[in-house]
Amino acid sequence: MRNWCRWSRAAWAFGIAGVIGLGLLACTSQNPVMTTFFEGVPDPGTKYEPAPVVKEPRRPKYVKPPPRVTYVEVPDLPPAVDWKGIYATLTRNDDVVSWVKALEANQITPKPGIAPDAKDEDVLELDVELDSTGEASKAVFPHKAHTLWMGCTTCHTSIFEMEKGKAKMNMAAMGEGQWCGVCHGKVASPDLNTCGACHPGMR
Amino acid sequence: MRRAATLIVVFILAWTACYAAEYGDVVIERKAKGMDDIPSAVFPHWIHRMQFKCSACHEETFKMKAGADEITMEMIQSGKSCGLCHNGKAAFESNFDTCPRCHFK
């Protein structure tokens, strides 16, 4: 208790000494204290011209943000091709696509193989006249149209022997999926109902 | 994101619903038992032969006769059969997003 009193008294003495010191400083010619408080106040008789007050706008000015950069995903797949649209424009014969004509007209450019360095096989321009075995007139087999799409080994010798006349073909067997009917009538055009495509003598 | 996924699903459904059978389509008959609620896969010849000649797949990968080759999803996913191209690089991958591109009615 006594100790606390002593410190309190010392603080009072220090405070009073400070106030007296400040008063003495204010009376000096330099006036450091007065200039601190009254700086910028004009001398008596002169006009007071306050410096213009520049206020910060309360709300920052609206700056239009730059357009958002949309993240473009780079796909691994090649760009999508409108195959359906191209398919609709291919050359047709009675609603069935004439694939050989479409290929010759460069409407499509099918690749010869899955491998990127696959090469086209040579085109063989050899028309084989097939002798008539029944009522229908003789048929002509164009090698060119077939070698545009396939190689020799596709048909020879699993379907056809290399020698002409070995295959005893008839239309009924083809309709059941033999000989030419392996493809024609299933995927290849012309189908088996287009007589004139193979039999020049028929309509 | 969710809306985009829904749109894609709707688009795929619409695409498959709009698909008209074309000359040369091969319906690959299911030989495995069970899973009858999944429609059989359809192989559209027309879009493949627009991009490849016959000899690209016949007869090295597939025989000329429908049903003559064994095709399983395991084979496709391990890069055989259809999976030679349908691996996500040359053509779309076979995964749970692309089921209806082959399996549709």
Side-chain angles (χ1 to χ4, degrees), chain A residues 155-202:
Chain A
C155 305
H156 297 298
T157 55
S158 59
I159 304 171
F160 298 104
E161 296 285 329
M162 284 288 196
E163 284 167 70
K164 181 189 160 189
K166 275 222 167 179
K168 300 291 175 213
M169 293 179 263
N170 62 71
M171 292 303 294
M174 287 180 201
E176 288 163 10
Q178 288 185 337
W179 311 116
C180 308
V182 170
C183 300
H184 290 279
K186 288 177 184 166
V187 282
S189 59
D191 60 18
L192 295 173
N193 298 321
T194 319
C195 308
C198 307
H199 299 276
M202 295 175 78

Side-chain angles (χ1 to χ4, degrees), chain A residues 124-130 139-147 164 200:
Chain A
L124 176 68
E125 297 202 26
L126 170 68
D127 286 349
V128 180
E129 284 194 7
L130 304 166
V140 174
F141 172 79
H143 264 102
K144 191 189 171 189
H146 290 82
T147 46
K164 181 189 160 189

Side-chain angles (χ1 to χ4, degrees), chain A:
Chain A
M1 184 69 185
R2 185 164 284 236
N3 206 17
W4 181 84
C5 270
R6 195 184 295 157
W7 280 114
S8 172
R9 210 172 292 158
W12 270 106
F14 193 79
I16 290 161
V19 168
I20 291 167
L22 273 174
L24 285 172
L25 270 172
C27 295
T28 54
S29 59
Q30 289 287 315
N31 268 357
V33 177
M34 298 304 273
T35 48
T36 310
F37 288 110
F38 300 102
E39 196 178 4
V41 176
D43 292 330
T46 55
K47 203 185 170 193
Y48 173 61
E49 284 179 2
V53 179
V54 181
K55 283 187 178 174
E56 286 281 312
R58 289 178 64 190
R59 189 183 293 176
K61 199 183 170 191
Y62 177 72
V63 181
K64 200 178 177 188
R68 191 188 291 180
V69 180
T70 46
Y71 176 64
V72 181
E73 197 174 320
V74 180
D76 291 325
L77 294 174
V81 183
D82 180 22
W83 293 111
K84 228 172 184 177
I86 300 170
Y87 183 66
T89 61
L90 296 182
T91 307
R92 277 158 201 270
N93 182 21
D94 284 350
D95 283 350
V96 179
V97 178
S98 303
W99 288 102
V100 173
K101 281 179 191 160
L103 180 64
E104 281 176 335
N106 278 328
Q107 292 168 348
I108 46 171
T109 49
K111 286 175 253 174
I114 298 168
D117 57 342
K119 281 183 186 145
D120 275 308
E121 294 203 34
D122 292 334
V123 174
L124 176 68
E125 297 202 26
L126 170 68
D127 286 349
V128 180
E129 284 194 7
L130 304 166
D131 296 326
S132 175
T133 56
E135 290 169 6
S137 64
K138 66 179 178 185
V140 174
F141 172 79
H143 264 102
K144 191 189 171 189
H146 290 82
T147 46
L148 274 172
W149 282 96
M150 293 168 284
C152 310
T153 53
T154 316
C155 305
H156 297 298
T157 55
S158 59
I159 304 171
F160 298 104
E161 296 285 329
M162 284 288 196
E163 284 167 70
K164 181 189 160 189
K166 275 222 167 179
K168 300 291 175 213
M169 293 179 263
N170 62 71
M171 292 303 294
M174 287 180 201
E176 288 163 10
Q178 288 185 337
W179 311 116
C180 308
V182 170
C183 300
H184 290 279
K186 288 177 184 166
V187 282
S189 59
D191 60 18
L192 295 173
N193 298 321
T194 319
C195 308
C198 307
H199 299 276
M202 295 175 78
R203 191 167 49 84

